[in-house]
Amino acid sequence: MTPEPVPQPSTDAPPEQPQPVAQPTHFDFDWSAAVNPLIGVDTADVPEQSAAEQSAASPAAPATAEQQPQAVGAAAPVPAEELVRKNQHGDPLARRMGRNVRRAVGGGSREAREMAAFVELMQRSVPSTRQIAIASVRGGAGKTTMAALVATELARHRQDRVLAADADAELGSLPLRLGVRSQLSLFDLAGQNPRSFEEAARFLSRTPEGLFVLSSTRGGRIAGEFTLETFQNALNVVARYVGATVIDCGAGILTELNRGVVAASHGLVLVTPGTVDGALSARGALEWYAANELGDLLRRTVIAMVSHAPQVGADLHRAHQMLTAWGLPVVFVPYDRHLATGSSVDMSKVSAAARSSVTRIVHEVFARALTAPTR
């Protein structure tokens, strides 16, 4: 039997198309939530970006002598804004429109009076730089966010210089929340002897609101552990040139660094979650301060209870009664969608209710700080 001829491929057939090369899987990683976790951030909303897009959005800064060598294979830090799919506003659109209508018809007289009193306070001169510490019993309370809000609000209304200093020796995220990144840190400033503020400002970053920032990290990376002495040396170099300094303490109240910062401050904002557990932990902190020679500072303390979820089932009225029994102002800060993203704070996108709470916190703590003796 004659074998059948094997069919030959047609010369007119189109060339074989190359198979697509499998791309590596990109795992979502919420950097901002990792350094300052906040309940309510949906990591599913974090967009993927190619390396080329990240490189185009964040060109590498030229190397400086002060920069530390980067580990082999280490990726450049991703700006927090690139990890947020939608730039959330704290208030829904309908609420913002309703507020504008009320303003147009002459509503909000009480708010106007409160703001006038706040502006008058912000115009008062200080006998010496006023130091305000922002502390919390544990991490995740919203302390760094509160430090960014308090410092920004002061910088927006004060005529003198305002400094925000990061005293977190682990991975302080205050620069991230303020939208700045510095290649120099407090390590570089400690031991210097600048003869003017302009010389000291080389070691600082600055926000669009005019707030100066002293970072504990270099380029968003851990620079190393530091002692209370190192922090105070760096702070003293620049503090004499500013009217107010807001210090973001590390988590907890028992470390030597945090105790030293709080003891040297003229005012304290104690941040706690707006829950039953948060109220109990705040009470425990107050008891500890009173028993450890910080009772005098309690008269200049404001408690900020921060809600990290839209709905809170805690009996906040009972919590308020328990904490105000100490004779301290307790300010509730409502959940805010913009703040919950964990990216840099934009005051124009913070909800009206949250802004009002922050203004009251600043008013209460700064008024008390003005009455404190010079340290």
Side-chain angles (χ1 to χ4, degrees):
M1 177 181 296
T2 305
E4 295 183 3
V6 178
Q8 299 296 319
S10 171
T11 57
D12 297 331
E16 184 178 358
Q17 298 296 320
Q19 295 298 315
V21 179
Q23 297 297 320
T25 303
H26 294 272
F27 295 96
D28 290 338
F29 181 72
D30 190 347
W31 175 258
S32 53
V35 296
N36 189 25
L38 288 174
I39 298 173
V41 179
D42 187 359
T43 55
D45 289 339
V46 180
E48 294 182 354
Q49 272 197 314
S50 67
E53 289 173 332
Q54 292 179 5
S55 175
S58 304
T64 64
E66 293 84 356
Q67 281 184 280
Q68 297 299 304
Q70 181 174 324
V72 176
V78 180
E81 291 73 14
E82 296 184 11
L83 299 175
V84 180
R85 176 175 296 172
K86 185 169 64 173
N87 199 348
Q88 293 272 16
H89 196 293
D91 277 330
L93 178 60
R95 186 175 299 171
R96 300 200 301 271
M97 294 178 64
R99 187 167 62 249
N100 292 335
V101 170
R102 289 193 298 273
R103 287 175 181 169
V105 298
S109 58
R110 180 176 64 85
E111 291 84 354
R113 289 194 300 272
E114 291 175 352
M115 181 54 67
F118 175 70
V119 171
E120 189 275 330
L121 175 68
M122 292 295 101
Q123 293 175 348
R124 296 186 191 177
S125 59
V126 295
S128 65
T129 183
R130 300 287 93 178
Q131 181 172 307
I132 298 172
I134 315 293
S136 65
V137 177
R138 57 181 178 269
K143 168 185 58 61
T144 298
T145 301
M146 183 57 59
L149 291 167
V150 169
T152 299
E153 192 72 350
L154 280 170
R156 291 176 64 220
H157 292 92
R158 294 287 301 176
Q159 296 300 313
D160 47 15
R161 301 184 186 100
V162 178
L163 174 71
D166 197 344
D168 191 335
E170 294 292 334
L171 183 57
S173 56
L174 183 62
L176 182 148
R177 294 299 263 160
L178 291 171
V180 299
R181 183 186 298 170
S182 175
Q183 297 303 326
L184 300 178
S185 73
L186 60 87
F187 288 94
D188 305 291
L189 183 58
Q192 299 291 325
N193 186 27
R195 292 167 294 181
S196 66
F197 177 75
E198 286 68 29
E199 290 185 8
R202 295 193 305 109
F203 301 89
L204 309 175
S205 302
R206 196 176 190 186
T207 71
E209 291 83 6
L211 173 67
F212 292 94
V213 184
L214 176 60
S215 175
S216 66
T217 59
R218 290 187 178 103
R221 291 186 173 85
I222 297 175
E225 186 178 3
F226 54 87
T227 64
L228 175 62
E229 181 181 9
T230 300
F231 178 77
Q232 288 179 330
N233 286 342
L235 189 65
N236 292 339
V237 167
V238 69
R240 62 177 180 265
Y241 298 113
V242 303
T245 300
V246 177
I247 303 176
D248 180 23
C249 299
I253 62 174
L254 301 180
T255 67
E256 180 186 6
L257 176 59
N258 290 349
R259 292 201 316 268
V261 169
V262 169
S265 296
H266 302 93
L268 170 66
V269 178
L270 182 62
V271 183
T272 185
T275 61
V276 171
D277 180 50
L280 291 173
S281 65
R283 185 182 67 179
L286 296 175
E287 291 172 347
W288 188 88
Y289 284 136
N292 287 272
E293 301 179 353
L294 288 171
D296 180 64
L297 181 64
L298 292 184
R299 293 195 295 270
R300 297 185 296 279
T301 297
V302 177
I303 300 175
M305 298 195 71
V306 182
S307 295
H308 296 299
Q311 302 295 331
V312 178
D315 187 351
L316 297 183
H317 178 70
R318 183 79 175 272
H320 183 273
Q321 287 181 324
M322 179 178 65
L323 294 175
T324 53
W326 287 77
L328 308 178
V330 179
V331 182
F332 294 110
V333 183
Y335 171 80
D336 183 279
R337 298 183 305 171
H338 171 67
L339 298 178
T341 63
S343 61
S344 59
V345 173
D346 182 346
M347 294 300 290
S348 68
K349 291 183 172 60
V350 179
S351 68
R355 281 204 314 272
S356 177
S357 297
V358 171
T359 300
R360 185 186 168 198
I361 290 170
V362 175
H363 194 154
E364 296 282 2
V365 73
F366 195 75
R368 286 162 171 76
L370 284 177
T371 65
T374 301
R375 298 180 184 274

